[in-house]
Amino acid sequence: MDDVAPVLVIGTPRSRTAWLAAFLSTPDRIFAHEPSVHWRDLDDLRAFLDRPGAAACDSGLTLFWREALEMRPDLRLIVVRRPIDDVIESCKRAGMPIAADAVRIIERTAEVAAGVGASGFAMCLGCDDLASEAVCGALYHFALDRYPSAEWCDHWRDLNVQRDWRGQFAAAHANRNGFPRLVIDRVLGKHQQMAEA
């Protein structure tokens, strides 16, 4: 497992990252879901990527894809995009609070995800593409160098996997001076620069 490339699934929030973490996990390789809410800084990202078999689905890391790629040039990136209006509607349906800063984070993450897709450094797909067994098979192969069994695809096809977003928010709040602060600073700093330009 030491010689396998790390894998990050990034993209817009509410783009089925919890489902992907479950779908892509195998007994020998677990895809962590949103581990960055517990990290202090980019050194924790480096330490994570240097672990044997490192794999995660984390929309917060979308804003740091370049740093991740610099840390690990062998990194396999998968970008899942979802239209901003759909993300906001999904947040509302889940009962998530949508403050102005949350909308800015969603917008900025969507903008960066589109840029990563255009860069050629990643496998890119839309959230709706995950309904296709062929797309899911290609995604699985890209991440794990093998195809999933038909039984595995059948098992996951119609399952709705939801993360406990309240627990996720609580973890991010408890670690508000850690990595979640880097996300907020990067987004609000971008908007501040745009306002000043």
Side-chain angles (χ1 to χ4, degrees):
M1 182 77 61
D2 288 345
D3 60 344
V4 300
V7 181
L8 290 181
V9 179
I10 60 174
T12 49
R14 304 296 296 170
S15 293
R16 300 189 71 193
T17 54
W19 183 88
L20 282 164
F23 175 71
L24 292 171
S25 288
T26 66
D28 59 330
R29 193 164 195 190
I30 303 299
F31 276 70
H33 183 252
E34 307 285 348
S36 69
V37 298
H38 302 287
W39 297 345
R40 291 178 312 276
D41 52 33
L42 287 173
D43 289 337
D44 286 342
L45 171 59
R46 182 183 305 279
F48 179 82
L49 292 174
D50 285 342
R51 288 186 354 208
C57 297
D58 192 323
S59 59
L61 294 178
T62 305
L63 302 172
F64 301 91
W65 74 275
R66 288 185 191 279
E67 288 91 338
L69 196 58
E70 287 172 9
M71 292 172 188
R72 288 298 301 261
D74 61 335
L75 176 67
R76 293 184 186 184
L77 273 174
I78 299 166
V79 181
V80 184
R81 296 170 52 198
R82 188 173 188 179
I84 294 169
D85 291 343
D86 291 355
V87 173
I88 292 171
E89 184 58 34
S90 176
C91 290
K92 288 178 182 176
R93 278 194 313 270
M96 293 180 184
I98 302 294
D101 287 348
V103 172
R104 285 192 202 123
I105 290 171
I106 292 166
E107 289 171 344
R108 181 65 181 135
T109 304
E111 178 185 319
V112 172
V116 180
S119 72
F121 288 110
M123 178 182 191
C124 301
L125 56 143
C127 184
D128 290 343
D129 296 333
L130 294 173
S132 163
E133 188 171 328
V135 169
C136 289
L139 171 76
Y140 195 97
H141 184 267
F142 181 82
L144 298 167
D145 289 325
R146 60 183 182 261
Y147 289 99
S149 68
E151 294 81 20
W152 189 249
C153 289
D154 287 344
H155 171 76
W156 289 102
R157 179 179 300 117
D158 297 322
L159 289 179
N160 184 356
V161 178
Q162 294 289 325
R163 175 69 184 213
D164 169 21
W165 66 263
R166 286 182 178 88
Q168 198 77 356
F169 280 15
H173 180 72
N175 189 28
R176 64 186 167 276
N177 293 320
F179 203 89
R181 171 56 53 195
L182 296 179
V183 171
I184 292 167
D185 288 349
R186 186 156 286 190
V187 171
L188 297 182
K190 166 74 172 164
H191 281 273
Q192 177 114 16
Q193 291 168 4
M194 288 170 60
E196 292 170 357

